[in-house]
Structure formats: structure tokens, C-alpha cells
């Protein structure tokens, strides 16, 4: 049996994350969203989004990448929220029977305001 392999990244809230004002956190989130949208536009990220209603509140985001683990880690570690010490990167390979899943290119939000407007 053939298997498709994808790199998966789980973003977790660091225990030692810096304390930020609401304004600082919102500005960092906008830069985080813009970074991810750019990677998605370039085809490096196939799907990504926040995690909610999970058992472990440290889990913040999940993404599926079209590139190898080393390359994905390099780009994920360049995320402004990771560089600021708020999020940590966990990288793994996900395998499934070939052709089991397909991804459609979509436009990703680049800011909190854009993401909120999409919900309306």
C-alpha cells in the first residue's frame, strides 16, 4: 500500500510565554496570521487553523504542510508568535493511505479583523 506523508505542526502555548497587554497580543496575533497566510499562499501550508474546546488548553494551532519536516520547522520557527516566545513548535509526520485526503486552496485571514469578518 502506498502512503501520502504530510508534515504536521502543533503550536502550543509556552509555560513561560511573556505577559502582554491586550493591544500587544492583538498586534502579535495579526503578525502571526499574516505569516501563516503567506505560507499558505505559497503552497507550503495546505491547511491551518486554531484549536478550540480541547482537553489541553496549551494546544493552540494545527497545520498540515506540503514540505518535509525540516523545512516546515524552519518556517514555523520564523512565526512572529514563536519568535516572541509565546508559542512552541512541535513537528511530526502524518501518514495515510495515498489519495485519502485532498486539499483545496483557500484564502486565509491575515488579521483578527479579517477572521472576525469571515464569521459574520
Amino acid at each position: 500500500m502506498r502512503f501520502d506523508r504530510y508534515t504536521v505542526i502543533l503550536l502550543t502555548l509556552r509555560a513561560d510565554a511573556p505577559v502582554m497587554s491586550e493591544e500587544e497580543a492583538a498586534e502579535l496575533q495579526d503578525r502571526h496570521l499574516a505569516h501563516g497566510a503567506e505560507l499558505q499562499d505559497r503552497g507550503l501550508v495546505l491547511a491551518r487553523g486554531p484549536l478550540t474546546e480541547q482537553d489541553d488548553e496549551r494546544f493552540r494551532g494545527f497545520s498540515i504542510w506540503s514540505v518535509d519536516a525540516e523545512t516546515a520547522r524552519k518556517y514555523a520557527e520564523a512565526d512572529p508568535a514563536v519568535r516572541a516566545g509565546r508559542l512552541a513548535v512541535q513537528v511530526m509526520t502524518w501518514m495515510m493511505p495515498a489519495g485519502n485526503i485532498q486539499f483545496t486552496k483557500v484564502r486565509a485571514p491575515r488579521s483578527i479583523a479579517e477572521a472576525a469578518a469571515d464569521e459574520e
Side-chain angles (χ1 to χ4, degrees), residues 76-118:
E77 288 179 348
D79 183 313
V82 174
R83 291 181 39 214
R86 180 160 174 77
L87 299 176
V89 174
Q90 295 183 24
V91 181
M92 58 210 81
T93 299
W94 181 37
M95 296 173 47
M96 69 187 67
N100 190 52
I101 193 168
Q102 295 179 6
F103 297 92
T104 302
K105 192 166 188 170
V106 298
R107 186 174 188 292
R110 286 154 170 72
S111 68
I112 296 169
E114 195 173 321
D118 290 344

Side-chain angles (χ1 to χ4, degrees), residues 22-104:
E22 194 172 307
E23 183 177 292
E24 290 170 325
E27 188 271 333
L28 181 59
Q29 183 68 9
D30 281 350
R31 290 190 296 131
H32 164 73
L33 290 172
H35 174 78
E38 172 66 23
L39 295 173
Q40 201 164 343
D41 287 349
R42 293 174 57 194
L44 300 171
V45 173
L46 300 170
R48 72 186 226 295
L51 298 170
T52 62
E53 302 177 27
Q54 68 274 21
D55 291 337
D56 187 335
E57 288 298 317
R58 293 175 301 156
F59 298 153
R60 295 305 170 118
F62 179 83
S63 54
I64 302 170
W65 296 65
S66 65
V67 297
D68 63 88
E70 183 179 331
T71 302
R73 180 183 300 280
K74 178 182 85 167
Y75 285 106
E77 288 179 348
D79 183 313
V82 174
R83 291 181 39 214
R86 180 160 174 77
L87 299 176
V89 174
Q90 295 183 24
V91 181
M92 58 210 81
T93 299
W94 181 37
M95 296 173 47
M96 69 187 67
N100 190 52
I101 193 168
Q102 295 179 6
F103 297 92
T104 302

